[in-house]
Amino acid sequence: MLLQTVRPNIVQAIRAYRVEDLMQAAQAAGQHFLYANLIDAQSKQDVLEKIAESFLFPSHFGKNLDALFDCMTDLVHRAGTQPGFVVVLEQLPDNPRFDREAREQLLDVFRDAADFWAERRIPFRCFYSFSVARNSAEAGSWDRVNEVAPAPEKPVAKAVAKNGTNPNFGMNMPMMSSAFDTAMWLTAA
């Protein structure tokens, strides 16, 4: 299982994980998979609008951080028992209109959502990547590129211990998948 070594309620950089692998692992575990590609977003408002569009938030979504938290927690919780969530925020902007403070405020909302779901013993994993600007000397313009970490070496499997425990399996269980439509949940609730 892809996420067995990742804590069940965490917000972390995507690093060596591939979005497709996260999606497949989420589906295999029967959990919600939420994906937002934010490459075109330039401001906090753009980011919130793109997340709302990608996650299918209801039309009354307030496009602020409090409303984002409500949609990621209370709104979904009221819809019934949840299997868990894998959230991917790809290409978070890195520019003067969406600076480090704005990014941290956004990620804090997802950290708070992870805590909310942890209290209910529901896995909530959020992975993010940044879109950074790099100066292109040839064209004199700025190109957007991904922050990519080198792929880690694959660990060698250990033999099963005599006591029957398997050291290849972590304490954390599988991940999440399936799309979630909060508008549908509202009508169902």
Side-chain angles (χ1 to χ4, degrees):
M1 301 308 269
L2 178 64
L3 294 180
Q4 71 191 68
T5 60
V6 179
R7 287 187 357 218
N9 297 83
I10 192 168
V11 176
Q12 70 174 44
I14 200 165
R15 303 195 193 265
Y17 295 105
R18 292 179 354 149
V19 174
E20 296 81 16
D21 294 340
L22 293 171
M23 181 180 68
Q24 289 172 358
Q27 284 178 328
Q31 297 178 351
H32 299 293
F33 179 77
L34 309 172
Y35 174 79
N37 187 329
L38 306 167
I39 193 160
D40 295 326
Q42 295 296 311
S43 66
K44 177 180 168 183
Q45 196 66 25
D46 292 345
V47 168
L48 290 171
E49 287 174 8
K50 187 63 177 174
I51 289 172
E53 176 187 316
S54 299
F55 293 1
L56 304 173
F57 285 167
S59 59
H60 67 271
F61 172 64
K63 294 184 180 80
N64 61 56
L65 297 176
D66 289 334
L68 175 62
F69 177 79
D70 290 343
C71 283
M72 296 300 298
T73 57
D74 291 333
L75 181 65
V76 179
H77 181 63
R78 283 186 275 152
T81 304
Q82 300 303 317
F85 304 86
V86 171
V87 178
V88 176
L89 304 172
E90 194 168 37
Q91 303 290 326
L92 283 171
D94 182 16
N95 63 51
R97 292 182 61 205
F98 196 78
D99 60 6
R100 170 178 253 156
E101 181 177 346
R103 283 191 315 276
E104 284 303 313
Q105 289 173 349
L106 177 73
L107 293 175
D108 281 346
V109 169
F110 285 93
R111 289 179 188 108
D112 292 344
D115 292 343
F116 174 91
W117 290 110
E119 291 172 6
R120 288 149 184 82
R121 298 186 186 272
I122 305 293
F124 183 97
R125 295 178 177 99
C126 178
F127 299 90
Y128 62 89
S129 67
F130 294 117
S131 176
V132 295
R134 182 172 62 185
N135 189 355
S136 172
E138 302 153 21
S141 64
W142 290 85
D143 295 325
R144 296 167 71 84
V145 297
N146 287 329
E147 176 186 276
V148 179
E153 292 183 27
K154 188 171 182 170
V156 177
K158 299 174 189 151
V160 176
K162 290 181 182 176
N163 64 4
T165 61
N166 188 336
N168 298 312
F169 292 97
M171 293 299 293
N172 301 326
M173 294 318 289
M175 178 176 105
M176 335 170 171
S177 178
S178 78
F180 94 113
D181 179 351
T182 55
M184 178 189 70
W185 291 344
L186 277 178
T187 57

